[in-house]
Structure formats: structure tokens, C-alpha cells
Amino acid sequence: MSQKQLKEAFISNLNGTSLLEISAGLSLAPLCLLCRGLLLILYYLHHGKPVSSRKYSLLLDFLVLVSPLLFSCTVLSPIIFFMPVILAAFCAGVFSKIYSQRKGEARAHFGQIVKEFQRTCLDPEYIPAITVFRVYVNVLTSISILAVDFPQYPRRYAKAETYGTGVMDLGVGAFIFGNALVCPEVRQKSYMTQPRFSNLARQVFSVWPLISLGVGRLLSVKSIEYHEHTSEYGVHWNFFFTLAFVRLAASLLLAIFPKRKAWLVALALAVLYQLLLSTTSLKVFILHGSDGRDSRLGFLDANREGLLSLLGYLAIYLASVQVGLWLLQRRASVRGWLEALRGLALAVLVLFVLLQLCQACTEPVSRRLANLPFCTWVLAHCLLLLSLFVLADLTLVFTKLLVKGSSVPCCWKVVQPPDSSEKHGMEAVPVGREDKPSQLCLISAINKNQLLFFLLANVMTGAVNILIDTIHSKAAFTLCILHLYMFFNCLIMYILHARNIVLKFW
């Protein structure tokens, strides 16, 4: 076989991994975030000031936020179930050190600190878990799209051929979920009255870069005969097109139906699509083509996976809009977010039960079909990851109460109680050290240029595959290449962030 055929075979005919292994892997990112925050608070406790060096700040962020994830999906994948335990134990050790060494008024009784923690007011205009979720989905996707071409990346983590739950299958759905959390319909204030189709017009204008990137990827892949997995989206389709058309279709539906009922539209769409798959020949067409022999004649036949899976991804997007609207409800205190965390945990539990029922009554999870079990699975794991980020953020807020004046980038800001600000007729504002511009942070840097980060990762992945025989690479060489690839990408984002450059021109 040619090198192209070898690489295509290397990422084909796979069956995914277990839900438990994916859940264990998902817990690593929140633990890394918690670990970074605790280390910064401990540094402040000892030195009385935050880390001021940009060089050391970038190095700490990369080594704690990115590098463990890279190891976990390569050489440390055999012990993936032990890694959350190791990270949690390390975080517990750092927290214990902070608690034992706290000073002054922070040396109150633990019960008193807990009561103060529950009454703490948080900045209601900023929810760090949403930002961190979107950034980490981008980071994990960037790692996986290159790592999957190396033998150290377990084949069970790659995209499943037809049925199965691979880590990369979840990444596709999580990208849709993350985009919906910050769409115009979610960010638009409820009291603002705008023309019915204004958001649709805005999305038409904002998706042209995605369509351009989709066309660019199509032309470049075909021109250099780059290896591709045809059964993923089809001959001409790719994820950029999926993301663009899902956003347009969702804006159209949300202009017709009330956005507060987005979950009903999502449910109706997912159930109707599953009924079509189960009761008609649609599923056979998607899996085997119009002639039953995997033909690729005509545009619809050639791109049947990408075109028809739009219905499933659209259902995920609309359900995620509902999640975004619920998250952005005004919660001004820790107590309110603890209640929200209970709500998220209940939703995760219900979705996992529904997932088992869906698979028992219909068929297994299939990214290729984007069926009802796939939609349920994506929503369950995305809400699980989101709830873990909220829990990590609340833990860091509690720890900051032990070390007065400490700050953690991309974490909740403690604000004055609303009563004290209402006396002056003004909104609650951040107080103390955190009312100053936030410290340089890798998460903020990637968040400012997310599309550029993803595009750069795709270009660099292609370059590495052209220059290197990835299939036969040794472990040490693989780790070096992956670390250089991710560090270079992060460094570019960090430099742009330091210079306050946002490359967004649409």
C-alpha cells in the first residue's frame, strides 16, 4: 500500500472505547485547571504577589494545563484510570498546605469559612466555566487531530467507523455544544427587543469564514492527495461546512420558535430523525450508499454522512442553546451556583439513564449517523465536563477566601454584595486585587483567537504528516513532536494576547 493508503487504514474500522474511560479522561482537564489555580494561590501565599514573569506564566500554564492531557492520550493511556486519582491527590496536598499556612483573619474555624463561602457574591456577568470548556475542547481537539496519526495514540480513542464511542467522536459534538453556549441567541439580553430575523442575518455574515475554511481544506486535501477518512463526512464535506450550516439552520429555527423552547425543538428533531433511521431505508443509504455497495455517485451519495448528520448536530446545537440560556440566568452568590451544580448533576444522571434506554430500544451510539443515542451521549458528557469545571471554579473561590488578595486568571471574581452597591445606584463590581486587568493566561489567550488556534492546529497537523512518517514513530520522538506542536501553537496565541491582538475580521 502507498503511504496515503497506510494512513487511511490506520484511522479506519475502529470501534471506540467505554463510557467510563471517556469520563475518566474528561475529569483530567478540570483537575489540571484546579491544580494550576492552587499552585498560583500557594505562590501568592509565600511571596505576597502573583507570578509576574510572562515567561514563567506561560511555562506553568503549558506544563500544568496542556502537557498532562498530551501524556494521558499517548504513553500514559494504559493508566488513564489512575491519573485522576494522582492529580486529585496532588491538588489535595497543595490545598492542605495552603489551609495550614493561611494567615491573619483567614485562620477562622472551618465551619465559619464555609458559611462565609456560601454567602460570597460572584461576578454575575462572567461564567469562567463556559470559557474554559470552549478552550479545552479546542485544546483536546488540537492534540487529538495530530496524535491520532501516531501509534502511541490508542486506536480506541480515534473516531469509530460506524458504531462506538471514541474520544474524537465526542470532540466533534463538544465543538457544536461549545459554539451554541455563546451564540447570539444566548448572549442577547432577554429585555432587548430586536427584529425577529436579526440573529439569522448576523449568523449569515459570521459563517463565511467557516465556509471559506471548508472550501480551503477541501481544495488543499484534494490537491496534495492528503489522507482522509471518506466515511467520516463524505468525499467533499468536512466539519467546517457542518459547523456553518448548523449555525445557520439553528438561527432560522430560533427565529421561528421561542428560544426558551429550544429543548423541545431539539427533542422533536432528534426523535423524528431517529424514527426515520429506524423505520425507513435512510440508515442503509447512509451506511452503504444508494446501490448498497458504498457507491459515491452524485453529490448527495458522495457526501451522505456529512449532509444527513446535520439533523443530529442541529439537535445537539439547539439543546445546547437551552443549556446556555439556563447558565446565564443571574446567580449572584456561591449558594446559587451550588444549587445550579446540583441541577447539572441531575441532568447528567438523567441523560446517562436515557442513553442506556436509547441504546437498548434503538441502536448503539453512531457519530456517522448522528443518531439519537449519539446526541444524548454528547449532551451527557458535555454537561459532565461543564459541571466539573464549575466545581473546580467554586473550589478555587473557596481557596481564595483562605488567602486574601490572591487571584487566579479565568476564575470567578468576588464582588461586593448587591446591597452595598444599590445604595450608590450602581451595579455590583469586582473589588480588591481583581478589579485590575487580568493576568496573562493561556486560557484567555486561546479564547481570544479560538478559530485561529484551530486553523493553525489543522495546518500544522498537515505539515507534520507530510514531513514525518508518523505511523512508525517511536514514543520519545512522538512526545517531542506533539509537545513542540502544541507549544508553538500556544506560544503564538500567547504573543497575540500579550499584544492585545484579536484576528477577527468578520
Side-chain angles (χ1 to χ4, degrees):
M1 289 192 293
S2 67
Q3 189 73 3
K4 179 176 182 289
Q5 290 172 324
L6 277 172
K7 290 194 174 185
E8 286 174 353
F10 193 57
I11 57 175
S12 302
N13 303 312
L14 305 171
N15 299 313
T17 185
S18 66
L19 298 181
L20 186 60
E21 185 169 15
I22 293 175
S23 299
L26 285 181
S27 67
L28 295 178
L31 285 169
C32 289
L33 183 75
L34 179 60
C35 179
R36 191 277 302 254
L38 291 173
L39 288 173
L40 289 175
I41 294 172
L42 182 63
Y43 181 90
Y44 182 88
L45 179 63
H46 285 168
H47 297 87
K49 62 178 182 179
V51 178
S52 55
S53 170
R54 293 181 176 181
K55 177 173 60 178
Y56 291 130
S57 178
L58 172 61
L59 192 60
L60 173 67
D61 281 0
F62 183 81
L63 291 177
V64 179
L65 299 179
V66 178
S67 195
L69 304 179
L70 207 156
F71 277 103
S72 71
C73 67
T74 51
V75 294
L76 294 183
S77 57
I79 60 165
I80 189 68
F81 289 104
F82 293 102
M83 288 194 66
V85 178
I86 295 169
L87 279 174
F90 181 78
C91 289
V94 177
F95 177 82
S96 176
K97 192 173 184 65
I98 292 171
Y99 186 79
S100 63
Q101 294 181 0
R102 70 195 193 281
K103 303 170 184 176
E105 68 276 9
R107 297 197 67 84
H109 189 268
F110 185 79
Q112 184 180 339
I113 297 173
V114 171
K115 289 180 181 178
E116 181 187 350
F117 169 65
Q118 291 180 335
R119 292 193 300 266
T120 300
C121 292
L122 304 174
D123 181 2
E125 301 299 323
Y126 175 60
I127 303 172
I130 294 178
T131 300
V132 175
F133 176 92
R134 298 181 72 242
V135 167
Y136 257 115
V137 167
N138 218 329
V139 168
L140 290 167
T141 302
S142 299
I143 292 172
S144 294
I145 59 175
L146 178 57
V148 71
D149 294 315
F150 290 89
Q152 288 74 26
Y153 189 87
R155 296 301 90 193
R156 65 186 185 275
Y157 288 1
K159 289 177 181 174
E161 185 69 27
T162 301
Y163 294 106
T165 52
V167 174
M168 293 185 72
D169 294 317
L170 178 62
V172 177
F175 230 103
I176 297 288
F177 183 93
N179 268 266
L181 290 180
V182 295
C183 70
E185 290 81 6
V186 171
R187 287 184 281 113
Q188 183 178 308
K189 302 293 184 182
S190 57
Y191 56 80
M192 291 176 63
T193 56
Q194 293 188 349
R196 195 175 181 84
F197 291 92
S198 62
N199 288 324
L200 177 60
R202 195 177 307 161
Q203 289 284 32
V204 168
F205 181 67
S206 66
V207 300
W208 73 262
L210 292 173
I211 295 175
S212 301
L213 291 172
V215 172
R217 176 180 171 78
L218 172 63
L219 295 177
S220 60
V221 165
K222 299 301 181 185
S223 63
I224 64 174
E225 295 189 349
Y226 189 76
H227 66 277
E228 54 185 330
H229 195 184
T230 305
S231 65
E232 187 177 346
Y233 294 107
V235 178
H236 311 102
W237 203 261
N238 58 57
F239 183 64
F240 290 112
F241 292 141
T242 293
L243 194 55
F245 280 91
V246 163
R247 284 172 60 172
L248 286 175
S251 288
L252 177 61
L253 288 174
L254 292 172
I256 298 171
F257 299 100
K259 62 182 182 181
R260 295 286 173 187
K261 302 295 181 182
W263 71 275
L264 283 174
V265 183
L267 181 62
L269 191 63
V271 170
L272 178 60
Y273 178 48
Q274 184 60 52
L275 285 173
L276 289 173
L277 289 172
S278 302
T279 60
T280 70
S281 60
L282 182 62
K283 179 163 62 176
V284 175
F285 170 69
I286 295 174
L287 297 180
H288 305 294
S290 56
D291 62 356
R293 291 179 294 185
D294 200 25
S295 65
R296 295 282 173 180
L297 302 174
F299 183 77
L300 177 60
D301 211 354
N303 302 285
R304 55 186 185 269
E305 294 93 347
L307 292 170
L308 292 169
S309 65
L310 286 173
L311 294 171
Y313 289 123
L314 181 56
I316 293 172
Y317 190 98
L318 290 170
S320 307
V321 167
Q322 192 75 59
V323 174
L325 291 170
W326 180 77
L327 284 174
L328 262 63
Q329 291 177 9
R330 194 174 183 86
R331 299 178 182 87
S333 68
V334 166
R335 192 185 302 276
W337 276 104
L338 288 173
E339 293 173 1
L341 193 57
R342 284 194 288 270
L344 283 170
L346 179 62
V348 170
L349 180 62
V350 169
L351 284 168
F352 272 114
V353 171
L354 287 176
L355 174 59
Q356 298 304 320
L357 291 174
C358 286
Q359 292 196 103
C361 299
T362 57
E363 58 186 342
V365 171
S366 173
R367 170 204 44 83
R368 190 173 175 185
L369 299 172
N371 55 6
L372 180 60
F374 174 76
C375 298
T376 310
W377 171 59
V378 167
L379 290 171
H381 267 111
C382 285
L383 285 178
L384 173 63
L385 181 57
L386 196 61
S387 61
L388 290 175
F389 279 131
V390 172
L391 181 60
D393 285 328
L394 289 174
T395 306
L396 289 176
V397 170
F398 181 85
T399 311
K400 287 196 292 182
L401 293 178
L402 302 176
V403 184
K404 302 296 183 182
S406 61
S407 64
V408 178
C410 291
C411 179
W412 257 308
K413 298 174 175 63
V414 176
V415 299
Q416 292 176 348
D419 294 341
S420 61
S421 60
E422 284 173 2
K423 292 177 183 177
H424 302 282
M426 54 191 291
E427 296 273 337
V429 293
V431 295
R433 185 174 292 275
E434 293 183 331
D435 62 349
K436 299 176 182 177
S438 61
Q439 298 166 230
L440 277 179
C441 167
L442 186 57
I443 293 172
S444 299
I446 296 173
N447 184 54
K448 273 193 172 181
N449 287 288
Q450 288 212 47
L451 185 57
L452 177 65
F453 182 84
F454 185 60
L455 176 60
L456 187 58
N458 274 269
V459 172
M460 291 171 66
T461 295
V464 170
N465 270 282
I466 291 170
L467 297 172
I468 295 173
D469 179 13
T470 56
I471 296 178
H472 302 101
S473 297
K474 301 297 183 183
F477 181 74
T478 297
L479 290 174
C480 286
I481 292 296
L482 290 176
H483 273 88
L484 285 172
Y485 153 79
M486 284 304 298
F487 186 77
F488 179 75
N489 206 347
C490 291
L491 179 62
I492 296 297
M493 299 305 110
Y494 201 79
I495 292 171
L496 292 175
H497 180 47
R499 299 184 179 182
N500 201 27
I501 298 173
V502 179
L503 295 179
K504 184 174 181 178
F505 43 85
W506 58 92

